[in-house]
């Protein structure tokens, strides 16, 4: 099984994952734009038993449109988010794909909040598209 390491910018907070992600998605919502500083977020969901976290993190809880809570864990030194935990999905850990710094990471199968998508963005045609 593949092993990958996600890291913050300074390297003090990491997540090692074994096995492939169960879901890879991009999200164009405004909260993900603010969180990432980019125009969409991309995240991979992994089974929790395959994820090993190392290093200290600070938490931020975002309450979504439907009242669901997501707990983001970011490096207290450099501020980069390395993993997060959506409420109701306790068997999984979500990791921002950019934290892997791997251009060969599997591409997203799902594109959500496309009604907030910047006009120039072109999600993969074969992905599931959700407005
Ligand atoms: Zn860091
Ligand atoms: Zn989002």
């Amino acid at each position: 099984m593949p092993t990958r390491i996600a890291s913050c910018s300074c390297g003090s907070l990491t997540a090692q994952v074994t096995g492939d992600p169960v879901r890879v998605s991009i999200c164009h919502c405004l909260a993900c734009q603010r969180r990432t500083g980019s125009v969409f977020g991309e995240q991979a969901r992994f089974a929790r038993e395959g994820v090993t976290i190392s290093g200290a993190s600070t938490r931020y809880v975002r309450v979504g449109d439907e009242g669901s809570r997501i707990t983001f864990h970011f490096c207290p030194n450099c501020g980069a988010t390395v993993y997060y935990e959506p409420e109701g999905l306790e068997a999984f850990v979500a990791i921002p794909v950019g934290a892997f710094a791997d251009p060969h990471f599997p591409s997203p199968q799902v594109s959500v909040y496309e009604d907030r998508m910047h006009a120039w963005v072109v999600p993969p045609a074969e992905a599931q598209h959700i407005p």
Side-chain angles (χ1 to χ4, degrees):
M1 279 199 288
T3 296
R4 299 180 172 94
I5 295 178
S7 173
C8 66
S9 300
C10 76
S12 55
L13 178 60
T14 60
Q16 178 176 298
V17 301
T18 302
D20 279 318
V22 296
R23 183 181 196 262
V24 181
S25 62
I26 53 178
C27 182
H28 310 275
C29 85
L30 302 182
C32 283
Q33 294 187 28
R34 282 237 161 82
R35 180 183 68 75
T36 60
S38 186
V39 297
F40 59 87
E42 186 185 17
Q43 45 281 322
R45 187 183 295 172
F46 291 89
R48 181 177 290 278
E49 60 267 25
V51 180
T52 305
I53 306 295
S54 174
S57 66
T58 301
R59 295 167 185 222
Y60 170 70
V61 178
R62 180 211 289 175
V63 181
D65 293 346
E66 280 102 45
S68 63
R69 299 159 68 88
I70 306 177
T71 303
F72 294 90
H73 296 260
F74 59 93
C75 173
N77 185 46
C78 72
T81 298
V82 170
Y83 67 104
Y84 58 92
E85 301 169 301
E87 187 178 49
L89 291 170
E90 279 71 20
F92 303 98
V93 175
I95 297 182
V97 171
F100 291 103
D102 174 9
H104 304 291
F105 196 88
S107 55
Q109 308 115 341
V110 188
S111 173
V112 303
Y113 272 102
E114 287 194 346
D115 54 1
R116 306 280 169 85
M117 185 169 72
H118 283 232
W120 59 266
V121 174
V122 183
E126 67 276 16
Q128 180 187 357
H129 302 277
I130 300 171

